[in-house]
Amino acid sequence: MTSPSDKRASGNPAKQAQIDLTVKQQREQKRQEKLAEYQKQVAKRRRGKLVWWVVGSAASLAVIGLVVASFAFAPAPAPSYQAGNSTGADVQGVQTFENRSDHVQGAVQYEQTPPAGGPHNPYWLNCGVYTEPQANENAVHSLEHGAIWITYDPERVDQAGIDALKAVMPSSYALLSPYPGMDTPVAVSAWNHQLKVDDPTDPRIKDFFTEFWRSQNAPEPNAACSGAIDGPGKA
C-alpha cells in the first residue's frame, strides 16, 4: 500500500522539484488566503469601533450641546430682594398716602388710581403675572400682605416693556397686570406708597422693590400671597 506522500514522489528529479514547488505554492496560497481573511476581520472590527466612536462622540457632543443650550437659553432667575427692608431710603418720585385697611364687600371708590391701599375685599389676589385687568379690591388686599403691584397702560406699553417689568419681579409677593386708563404708562404700588414712571425700564422700579417689597409697615406683612383668588388671565 502507498501513502499520500508516496503518490507525490517521483523518480524524476525535475518532476519531483515541480511537485514540491506546487505543494509549496498551495501552502503559500492558503497562508495568504488566511492572512487576507484575518486582515479583513481586523479591518471590519476597526471600522465597527470607528463607527461606534463616531456615534459615541456625536452623542456626547449632542449632550454637551443640550447642556450648554439649557444654560444659554434658560430664562434669567427672578431677582431677589430682602424682605421687609424698608430702610427709609428716598426713592425719587414716590408718593406716600394714608389709607384704611378694613375688609368690605362690593366695589370701592379709591383715592388713588391705581389704588395703593384702602378698604378691600376679604379675599386677596394671588400674586403672579396677569394678562387682563384685575379687580382693585382683591389686588389691594395683596398689598396689605406686603406685595407690590405693577400696573401698566396697555395702550402705551408694548411687549418689550412688559418683559422689562417682568424682569424686575421677584418670584413671590408681586403682581403684574394691565390697567387701562392710567395717567401714566407704568405705576408701581405698595401699601401707602406709589411710583409712577414713563419708562418700563426706569431703574427706580427696582429701587422701589428694594425699599417696599414685603415691607413690615404693611398692615399684614407676613400673610400669604397665594391660596386665594386667581383673577382672569393668570399666566
Side-chain angles (χ1 to χ4, degrees):
M1 180 179 291
T2 60
S3 65
S5 58
D6 293 334
K7 291 179 181 179
R8 292 194 298 270
S10 173
N12 186 333
K15 184 66 175 177
Q16 184 62 47
Q18 185 178 2
I19 292 173
D20 293 342
L21 180 60
T22 301
V23 172
K24 289 180 181 180
Q25 288 174 338
Q26 291 174 348
R27 290 176 180 173
E28 180 62 23
Q29 182 178 358
K30 290 181 180 180
R31 191 182 71 82
Q32 292 295 333
E33 289 174 354
K34 290 182 179 179
L35 179 60
E37 180 63 24
Y38 172 76
Q39 291 175 338
K40 181 179 179 181
Q41 293 298 325
V42 170
K44 184 178 180 180
R45 287 195 294 269
R46 285 177 178 173
R47 285 195 299 272
K49 290 180 180 179
L50 179 60
V51 169
W52 281 111
W53 183 87
V54 171
V55 171
S57 298
S60 298
L61 289 174
V63 171
I64 293 172
L66 289 173
V67 172
V68 172
S70 67
F71 283 102
F73 298 104
S80 177
Y81 304 95
Q82 182 178 345
N85 199 25
S86 299
T87 62
D90 181 18
V91 181
Q92 185 179 5
V94 171
Q95 294 179 287
T96 302
F97 314 100
E98 291 186 9
N99 288 300
R100 293 161 39 201
S101 61
D102 47 317
H103 292 177
V104 297
Q105 297 291 341
V108 177
Q109 294 295 321
Y110 288 99
E111 296 184 15
Q112 301 91 41
T113 304
H120 49 272
N121 190 274
Y123 296 97
W124 59 91
L125 179 66
N126 291 334
C127 286
V129 175
Y130 293 87
T131 59
E132 298 181 29
Q134 302 301 307
N136 287 333
E137 294 76 15
N138 300 112
V140 169
H141 195 153
S142 301
L143 300 184
E144 184 185 40
H145 292 184
I148 289 180
W149 185 17
I150 306 175
T151 50
Y152 61 91
D153 186 340
E155 295 296 324
R156 291 187 281 179
V157 177
D158 59 13
Q159 186 59 50
I162 295 171
D163 292 340
L165 295 173
K166 290 179 182 179
V168 302
M169 292 179 64
S171 59
S172 63
Y173 287 87
L175 295 160
L176 174 67
S177 68
Y179 201 107
M182 291 195 305
D183 60 358
T184 183
V186 178
V188 191
S189 305
W191 186 269
N192 280 343
H193 299 280
Q194 191 171 77
L195 173 68
K196 293 184 175 182
V197 298
D198 295 328
D199 186 352
T201 64
D202 194 310
R204 290 177 296 168
I205 297 175
K206 291 192 71 172
D207 295 339
F208 190 93
F209 270 93
T210 299
E211 183 62 24
F212 298 110
W213 182 68
R214 300 195 66 181
S215 171
Q216 294 301 302
N217 295 324
E220 298 178 8
N222 297 315
C225 199
S226 60
I229 301 296
D230 273 344
K234 179 75 180 290

